[in-house]
Amino acid sequence: MDETEQFLATVLPAYVAAERAIHSGDVEPRLALWSRTEPLTLFGAARTGRGWDELHRTFQWLKTTFSDRVSYEHEVVAAEASGNLAYLVALEHNTTSVNGVRTTYTLRATTVFRREGGQWRIVHRHGDPYHADQTVGEALASV
């Protein structure tokens, strides 16, 4: 197994479990995956933050926003690990309740990891809505 395969085998089960949990209102598995060592950044689909205090508040808010997950599928688009840094690019297909309203959506998510004390920890996440029927030109025109 190469370095990237080892990274995915180690990280994906916990990452997917954490995303499933947060979409049911349980933030603890996500908190466990994040580093507490700066720099930390989040460009979320709903909120953005920098530093552990801001991210922690955002994750606590998310647990009150999401509930009743019906499904969560994680589609890896690309990943690589080298030394103490790794990244994961994925499409995250969700059906969950957002503020009590059943919602289905897909996020494009890029997550950056840093190895700390032998463990992979998240240091950055960028998620935004993905529309499969949208062309690249349409996406750029909407920016």
Side-chain angles (χ1 to χ4, degrees):
M1 218 184 295
D2 71 16
E3 198 169 2
T4 299
E5 291 169 330
Q6 289 175 350
F7 162 74
L8 290 172
T10 300
V11 167
L12 269 184
Y15 186 88
V16 170
E19 289 305 302
R20 286 182 174 151
I22 200 161
H23 287 91
S24 291
D26 178 7
V27 72
E28 294 307 316
R30 181 180 268 199
L31 295 177
L33 291 177
W34 275 80
S35 174
R36 304 304 191 269
T37 304
E38 302 293 338
L40 302 172
T41 50
L42 174 68
F43 296 158
R47 290 195 177 177
T48 296
R50 180 184 298 163
W52 179 245
D53 290 341
E54 284 184 27
L55 273 56
H56 187 261
R57 282 193 301 275
T58 296
F59 297 151
Q60 294 299 326
W61 170 78
L62 281 175
K63 86 175 184 183
T64 67
T65 302
F66 292 127
S67 64
D68 304 319
R69 174 188 50 84
V70 173
S71 66
Y72 172 87
E73 298 301 323
H74 190 85
E75 181 183 342
V76 175
V77 175
E80 186 165 3
S82 180
N84 290 323
L85 289 175
Y87 70 89
L88 174 61
V89 177
L91 296 176
E92 299 177 350
H93 308 282
N94 294 283
T95 299
T96 190
S97 291
V98 179
N99 295 319
V101 177
R102 176 71 45 90
T103 307
T104 298
Y105 61 93
T106 298
L107 293 180
R108 297 179 299 186
T110 301
T111 308
V112 179
F113 296 78
R114 179 173 55 223
R115 195 180 340 239
E116 298 175 352
Q119 301 291 315
W120 288 108
R121 298 289 179 220
I122 300 170
V123 295
H124 173 76
R125 176 179 162 89
H126 181 183
D128 64 355
Y130 172 72
H131 305 286
D133 59 344
Q134 188 176 45
T135 68
V136 173
E138 289 170 335
L140 291 175
S142 67
V143 175

Coordinates of all heavy atoms in Angstrom, one line a residue, residues 15 18-28 30-31 34 42-49 54-69 92 94 96-100 105 107 125 127:
Y15 N -13.8 9.8 8.9 CA -14.3 11.0 8.3 C -15.7 10.8 7.8 O -16.6 11.7 8.1 CB -13.4 11.3 7.1 CG -13.7 12.6 6.4 CD1 -13.1 13.8 6.8 CD2 -14.6 12.7 5.4 CE1 -13.4 15.0 6.2 CE2 -14.9 13.9 4.7 CZ -14.3 15.1 5.2 OH -14.6 16.3 4.6
A18 N -17.9 10.7 10.8 CA -18.1 12.0 11.4 C -19.1 12.9 10.6 O -19.9 13.6 11.2 CB -16.8 12.7 11.5
E19 N -19.0 12.8 9.3 CA -20.0 13.6 8.5 C -21.4 13.0 8.6 O -22.4 13.8 8.7 CB -19.5 13.6 7.0 CG -18.3 14.4 6.8 CD -18.4 15.8 7.3 OE1 -19.4 16.5 6.8 OE2 -17.7 16.3 8.1
R20 N -21.5 11.7 8.7 CA -22.9 11.1 8.9 C -23.4 11.6 10.3 O -24.6 12.0 10.4 CB -22.8 9.6 8.8 CG -22.7 9.1 7.4 CD -22.6 7.6 7.3 NE -22.6 7.3 5.9 CZ -22.1 6.2 5.4 NH1 -21.5 5.3 6.3 NH2 -22.1 5.9 4.1
A21 N -22.6 11.6 11.3 CA -23.0 12.0 12.6 C -23.4 13.5 12.7 O -24.5 13.8 13.2 CB -21.9 11.8 13.6
I22 N -22.6 14.4 12.1 CA -23.0 15.8 12.2 C -24.3 16.1 11.4 O -25.0 17.0 11.8 CB -21.8 16.7 11.7 CG1 -22.1 18.1 12.3 CG2 -21.7 16.8 10.2 CD1 -20.9 19.0 12.3
H23 N -24.6 15.3 10.4 CA -25.8 15.6 9.6 C -27.0 15.0 10.4 O -28.2 15.1 10.0 CB -25.7 15.0 8.2 CG -24.9 15.9 7.4 ND1 -23.5 15.7 7.2 CD2 -25.2 17.0 6.7 CE1 -23.0 16.7 6.5 NE2 -24.0 17.5 6.1
S24 N -26.7 14.3 11.5 CA -27.8 13.9 12.5 C -27.8 14.7 13.7 O -28.5 14.4 14.7 CB -27.6 12.4 12.8 OG -27.9 11.6 11.6
G25 N -26.9 15.7 13.8 CA -26.9 16.6 14.9 C -25.8 16.2 16.0 O -25.8 16.8 17.1
D26 N -24.9 15.3 15.7 CA -23.9 14.9 16.6 C -22.5 15.4 16.2 O -22.0 14.9 15.2 CB -23.8 13.3 16.7 CG -22.8 12.8 17.6 OD1 -22.1 13.6 18.3 OD2 -22.6 11.6 17.6
V27 N -22.0 16.4 16.9 CA -20.8 17.1 16.5 C -19.5 16.4 17.0 O -18.4 16.7 16.4 CB -20.9 18.6 16.9 CG1 -20.7 18.7 18.4 CG2 -19.8 19.4 16.2
E28 N -19.6 15.6 18.0 CA -18.4 15.1 18.6 C -17.4 14.4 17.7 O -16.2 14.6 17.8 CB -18.8 14.2 19.8 CG -19.5 14.9 21.0 CD -18.7 16.2 21.4 OE1 -17.5 16.1 21.6 OE2 -19.3 17.2 21.6
R30 N -16.8 14.9 14.6 CA -16.1 15.9 13.8 C -15.1 16.6 14.6 O -14.0 16.8 14.2 CB -17.1 16.9 13.2 CG -16.4 17.9 12.3 CD -17.2 18.9 11.7 NE -17.7 18.5 10.4 CZ -18.1 19.4 9.4 NH1 -18.2 20.6 9.7 NH2 -18.5 18.9 8.3
L31 N -15.5 17.0 15.8 CA -14.5 17.7 16.7 C -13.3 16.9 16.9 O -12.2 17.4 17.0 CB -15.2 18.0 18.0 CG -16.3 19.0 18.0 CD1 -16.9 19.2 19.4 CD2 -15.9 20.4 17.4
W34 N -10.5 17.2 14.1 CA -9.9 18.5 13.8 C -8.7 18.8 14.7 O -8.7 18.5 15.9 CB -10.9 19.7 14.0 CG -11.6 19.9 12.7 CD1 -12.7 19.2 12.3 CD2 -11.4 20.9 11.7 NE1 -13.1 19.7 11.1 CE2 -12.4 20.7 10.7 CE3 -10.4 21.9 11.6 CZ2 -12.4 21.5 9.6 CZ3 -10.5 22.7 10.5 CH2 -11.5 22.5 9.5
L42 N -11.7 27.3 7.8 CA -13.0 26.7 7.3 C -13.6 27.7 6.4 O -13.9 28.8 6.7 CB -13.9 26.4 8.5 CG -15.3 25.9 8.1 CD1 -15.2 24.5 7.5 CD2 -16.2 25.9 9.3
F43 N -13.8 27.2 5.1 CA -14.6 27.9 4.2 C -15.8 27.0 3.9 O -15.9 26.3 3.0 CB -13.9 28.1 2.8 CG -12.6 29.0 3.0 CD1 -11.6 28.9 2.0 CD2 -12.5 29.9 4.0 CE1 -10.5 29.8 2.1 CE2 -11.4 30.8 4.1 CZ -10.4 30.7 3.1
G44 N -16.8 27.1 4.8 CA -17.9 26.3 4.8 C -19.0 26.7 3.8 O -19.0 27.9 3.4
A45 N -19.9 25.8 3.5 CA -21.0 26.2 2.6 C -21.9 27.2 3.3 O -22.6 28.0 2.6 CB -21.8 24.9 2.2
A46 N -22.0 27.2 4.6 CA -22.8 28.1 5.3 C -22.1 29.2 6.1 O -22.5 30.3 6.2 CB -23.8 27.4 6.2
R47 N -20.9 28.8 6.6 CA -20.1 29.8 7.5 C -18.7 29.6 7.2 O -18.2 28.5 6.9 CB -20.4 29.6 9.0 CG -21.8 30.0 9.3 CD -22.0 30.1 10.8 NE -23.3 30.6 11.1 CZ -23.7 30.8 12.3 NH1 -23.0 30.5 13.4 NH2 -25.0 31.2 12.6
T48 N -17.9 30.6 7.5 CA -16.5 30.6 7.3 C -15.8 31.0 8.7 O -16.4 31.7 9.5 CB -16.1 31.6 6.3 OG1 -16.6 31.2 5.0 CG2 -14.6 31.8 6.1
G49 N -14.7 30.4 9.0 CA -14.0 30.7 10.2 C -12.5 30.5 10.2 O -12.0 29.8 9.3
E54 N -13.4 30.0 16.6 CA -14.4 30.2 15.6 C -14.9 28.9 15.0 O -16.1 28.8 14.9 CB -13.8 31.1 14.5 CG -13.7 32.6 14.8 CD -13.2 33.4 13.6 OE1 -13.5 33.0 12.5 OE2 -12.6 34.4 13.8
L55 N -14.0 28.0 14.7 CA -14.5 26.7 14.2 C -15.3 26.0 15.2 O -16.3 25.4 14.8 CB -13.2 25.9 13.7 CG -12.7 26.2 12.3 CD1 -12.4 27.6 12.1 CD2 -11.6 25.3 12.0
H56 N -14.9 25.9 16.4 CA -15.7 25.2 17.4 C -17.1 25.8 17.5 O -18.1 25.1 17.6 CB -15.0 25.3 18.8 CG -15.6 24.4 19.8 ND1 -16.5 25.0 20.8 CD2 -15.6 23.1 20.0 CE1 -16.9 24.0 21.5 NE2 -16.4 22.9 21.1
R57 N -17.2 27.1 17.5 CA -18.6 27.8 17.6 C -19.4 27.4 16.3 O -20.6 27.1 16.4 CB -18.4 29.3 17.7 CG -18.1 29.8 19.1 CD -18.3 31.3 19.2 NE -17.5 32.1 18.3 CZ -16.2 32.4 18.5 NH1 -15.6 32.1 19.7 NH2 -15.5 33.1 17.6
T58 N -18.7 27.4 15.2 CA -19.4 27.0 13.9 C -19.9 25.6 14.0 O -21.1 25.3 13.6 CB -18.5 27.2 12.7 OG1 -18.2 28.6 12.6 CG2 -19.2 26.7 11.4
F59 N -19.1 24.7 14.5 CA -19.5 23.3 14.5 C -20.6 23.1 15.6 O -21.5 22.3 15.4 CB -18.3 22.4 14.9 CG -17.2 22.4 13.8 CD1 -15.9 22.2 14.2 CD2 -17.5 22.6 12.5 CE1 -14.9 22.2 13.2 CE2 -16.5 22.7 11.5 CZ -15.2 22.4 11.9
Q60 N -20.6 23.8 16.7 CA -21.7 23.7 17.6 C -23.0 24.2 17.0 O -24.0 23.7 17.3 CB -21.3 24.5 18.9 CG -20.2 24.0 19.7 CD -20.4 22.5 20.2 OE1 -21.6 22.2 20.5 NE2 -19.4 21.7 20.3
W61 N -22.9 25.3 16.2 CA -24.0 25.8 15.5 C -24.6 24.8 14.5 O -25.8 24.5 14.4 CB -23.7 27.1 14.8 CG -24.7 27.6 13.8 CD1 -25.9 28.2 14.2 CD2 -24.8 27.4 12.4 NE1 -26.6 28.5 13.0 CE2 -26.0 28.0 11.9 CE3 -23.9 26.9 11.5 CZ2 -26.3 28.1 10.6 CZ3 -24.2 26.9 10.1 CH2 -25.4 27.5 9.7
L62 N -23.7 24.1 13.8 CA -24.1 23.1 12.8 C -24.9 21.9 13.5 O -25.8 21.4 12.9 CB -22.9 22.5 12.1 CG -22.3 23.3 11.0 CD1 -21.1 22.6 10.4 CD2 -23.3 23.5 9.9
K63 N -24.5 21.6 14.7 CA -25.2 20.5 15.4 C -26.6 20.9 15.7 O -27.5 20.0 15.8 CB -24.5 20.0 16.6 CG -24.7 20.7 17.9 CD -24.1 20.1 19.0 CE -24.4 20.8 20.3 NZ -23.8 20.2 21.5
T64 N -26.9 22.2 15.8 CA -28.3 22.6 16.0 C -29.1 22.8 14.7 O -30.3 23.0 14.7 CB -28.4 23.9 16.9 OG1 -27.8 25.0 16.1 CG2 -27.6 23.8 18.2
T65 N -28.3 22.8 13.6 CA -28.9 23.1 12.3 C -29.3 21.8 11.6 O -30.4 21.7 11.0 CB -27.9 23.8 11.4 OG1 -27.6 25.1 12.1 CG2 -28.5 24.2 10.1
F66 N -28.5 20.7 11.7 CA -28.7 19.5 11.1 C -29.5 18.5 12.0 O -29.2 18.5 13.2 CB -27.4 18.8 10.6 CG -26.7 19.5 9.5 CD1 -25.4 19.9 9.7 CD2 -27.3 19.8 8.3 CE1 -24.7 20.5 8.6 CE2 -26.7 20.5 7.3 CZ -25.3 20.8 7.5
S67 N -30.3 17.6 11.4 CA -30.9 16.6 12.2 C -31.5 15.5 11.2 O -31.7 15.8 10.0 CB -32.1 17.1 13.1 OG -33.1 17.6 12.3
D68 N -31.8 14.4 11.7 CA -32.5 13.3 11.0 C -31.9 13.0 9.6 O -32.6 12.9 8.6 CB -34.0 13.7 10.8 CG -34.6 14.1 12.1 OD1 -34.4 13.3 13.1 OD2 -35.4 15.0 12.2
R69 N -30.6 12.7 9.6 CA -29.9 12.3 8.4 C -30.6 11.1 7.8 O -30.9 10.1 8.5 CB -28.4 12.0 8.6 CG -27.7 11.4 7.3 CD -26.3 11.0 7.6 NE -26.2 10.1 8.8 CZ -26.5 8.8 8.8 NH1 -26.8 8.2 7.7 NH2 -26.3 8.0 9.9
E92 N -19.9 15.2 -1.6 CA -20.7 14.7 -0.5 C -22.2 14.9 -0.7 O -22.7 16.0 -0.8 CB -20.3 15.5 0.8 CG -18.8 15.4 1.1 CD -18.4 16.2 2.3 OE1 -19.2 17.0 2.8 OE2 -17.2 16.0 2.8
N94 N -25.9 14.4 0.3 CA -26.6 14.4 1.6 C -28.1 14.5 1.4 O -28.6 15.3 0.6 CB -26.2 15.7 2.4 CG -24.8 15.7 2.8 OD1 -24.4 15.0 3.8 ND2 -24.0 16.5 2.1
T96 N -30.8 15.3 4.5 CA -30.9 15.5 5.9 C -31.9 16.6 6.2 O -32.4 17.2 5.2 CB -29.5 15.9 6.5 OG1 -29.5 15.9 7.9 CG2 -29.0 17.2 6.0
S97 N -32.2 16.9 7.4 CA -33.0 18.0 7.7 C -32.1 19.2 8.1 O -31.2 19.0 8.9 CB -34.0 17.7 8.9 OG -34.9 16.7 8.5
V98 N -32.4 20.3 7.5 CA -31.7 21.6 7.8 C -32.8 22.5 8.4 O -33.7 22.9 7.7 CB -31.1 22.2 6.5 CG1 -30.4 23.5 6.8 CG2 -30.1 21.2 5.8
N99 N -32.6 22.8 9.6 CA -33.6 23.6 10.4 C -35.0 23.0 10.3 O -35.9 23.8 10.1 CB -33.5 25.1 9.9 CG -32.2 25.8 10.2 OD1 -31.7 25.6 11.3 ND2 -31.7 26.5 9.3
G100 N -35.0 21.7 10.4 CA -36.3 21.0 10.3 C -36.9 20.7 9.0 O -38.0 20.1 8.9
Y105 N -28.9 17.6 -1.1 CA -27.9 18.5 -1.7 C -26.6 17.8 -1.8 O -26.3 16.8 -1.2 CB -27.7 19.8 -1.0 CG -27.2 19.7 0.4 CD1 -25.8 19.7 0.7 CD2 -28.1 19.5 1.5 CE1 -25.4 19.5 2.0 CE2 -27.6 19.3 2.8 CZ -26.3 19.3 3.0 OH -25.8 19.2 4.3
L107 N -22.3 18.7 -1.8 CA -21.3 19.6 -1.6 C -20.0 19.1 -2.3 O -19.7 17.9 -2.4 CB -20.9 19.8 -0.1 CG -22.0 20.4 0.8 CD1 -21.4 20.5 2.2 CD2 -22.4 21.8 0.3
R125 N -11.0 23.0 5.6 CA -12.1 22.4 4.9 C -12.7 23.5 4.1 O -13.0 24.6 4.6 CB -13.1 21.7 5.8 CG -14.3 21.2 5.0 CD -15.3 20.5 5.9 NE -16.6 20.4 5.3 CZ -17.0 19.3 4.6 NH1 -16.2 18.3 4.4 NH2 -18.2 19.3 4.1
G127 N -16.1 23.8 1.6 CA -17.2 23.1 1.0 C -18.2 24.1 0.4 O -18.4 25.2 0.9

